[in-house]
Amino acid sequence: MSLEKYQTELIEHGMSAGALKFGTFTLKSGRTSPYFFNAGLLASGPVLDTLCSAYAATIADALKSSPGLPQFDVLFGPAYKGIPFAAGTALLLHRDHKIDVGFAYDRKEAKDHGEGGITVGSPIKGKRVVILDDVATAGTAIRGAIETVKREGGEVVGAVLMLDRQEVGKEGKSSIAEVEELLGGKGRVPTILKMKDLMRWLQEHGRTEELAKMQEYWEQYGAKDQA
């Protein structure tokens, strides 16, 4: 199965921006990974266009899938990286897919003047919310965002990710499967890219040494329920 055009463009733009690298990297989890994706470096107009177009296409496809994302009202981008990603994706959902949703994000510190509160943007109280995040390894960031939205009175009905590392979490299941259970079941956490997509790209471009290291890492840490 070949990659979608937006998946290939995101991989190649990510590499040219220095955001996606293959090599040897120590993760927060302590694991030594053969690749690393730093979404904070996706910081130019063309790259942001590529990323947000991919988020928007992934969301639009997931809304038409079964099981998939349910209808929702607000995209929530956790500060700080999630802020431009959520804004850009909401714009492209409207322009390219005729899907109209609000966007919101959180402050690192609650504001005690003006409108106050911990969230900014479209009101989320009583709304159906989809969280937009970058890379899921352990799922910690998504869980934190779910708590923020709940605290503000919103209902989290799904999440969309840039990259699923497809790794086994602490409970022996993939972190995505664990978050899907929190959000109501399979299909609630669509992703633009999975580790297996990166491996497919390496294979298609004859990068056998990097592919072998990715395969070795998959054998050790890969969530086989997602293979």
Side-chain angles (χ1 to χ4, degrees):
M1 189 172 145
S2 60
L3 296 172
E4 295 284 350
K5 183 170 179 279
Y6 64 79
Q7 292 176 310
T8 300
E9 286 179 351
L10 180 55
I11 290 170
E12 293 174 359
H13 270 115
M15 291 177 70
S16 65
L20 172 60
K21 293 181 177 179
F22 296 96
T24 304
F25 308 92
T26 302
L27 305 179
K28 284 180 188 173
S29 62
R31 294 174 181 175
T32 301
S33 171
Y35 74 105
F36 188 71
F37 210 138
N38 178 3
L41 294 175
L42 299 174
S44 71
V47 176
L48 192 62
D49 186 5
T50 297
L51 175 61
C52 293
S53 294
Y55 270 127
T58 301
I59 290 168
D61 287 346
L63 284 167
K64 291 181 283 193
S65 301
S66 182
L69 277 180
Q71 295 298 315
F72 68 98
D73 309 301
V74 180
L75 258 184
F76 182 82
Y80 291 102
K81 281 183 287 189
I83 299 172
F85 299 164
T89 301
L91 186 155
L92 292 172
L93 279 170
H94 165 72
R95 192 189 72 187
D96 298 344
H97 303 278
K98 306 297 181 278
I99 296 168
D100 293 343
V101 296
F103 72 92
Y105 54 93
D106 58 331
R107 308 178 201 274
K108 290 292 185 182
E109 296 175 359
K111 186 178 175 186
D112 58 6
H113 59 281
E115 72 277 21
I118 196 84
T119 61
V120 185
S122 187
I124 61 177
K125 187 173 182 179
K127 301 294 186 182
R128 299 163 297 178
V129 178
V130 165
I131 292 165
L132 186 148
D133 204 3
D134 52 3
V135 182
T137 303
T140 310
I142 292 182
R143 286 180 174 86
I146 290 170
E147 286 309 308
T148 299
V149 171
K150 281 183 176 175
R151 202 164 57 240
E152 295 290 305
E155 179 196 1
V156 182
V157 297
V160 60
L161 299 174
M162 180 187 74
L163 174 66
D164 174 10
R165 290 184 60 96
Q166 294 185 284
E167 293 182 29
V168 171
K170 291 176 183 173
E171 296 172 28
K173 293 185 289 189
S174 74
S175 58
I176 295 295
E178 290 170 5
V179 174
E180 280 180 333
E181 281 182 16
L182 282 177
L183 300 181
K186 199 162 177 60
R188 293 292 181 105
V189 188
T191 60
I192 300 171
L193 292 169
K194 293 179 168 60
M195 181 183 178
K196 285 284 189 176
D197 296 324
L198 301 182
M199 292 168 73
R200 190 175 294 120
W201 186 89
L202 289 170
Q203 186 172 21
E204 288 174 359
H205 290 79
R207 298 176 67 151
T208 51
E209 190 178 329
E210 288 145 322
L211 179 60
K213 288 177 182 173
M214 294 279 276
Q215 187 64 45
E216 189 181 317
Y217 188 79
W218 169 262
E219 295 299 335
Q220 191 170 3
Y221 298 117
K224 306 306 184 285
D225 60 323
Q226 286 195 310

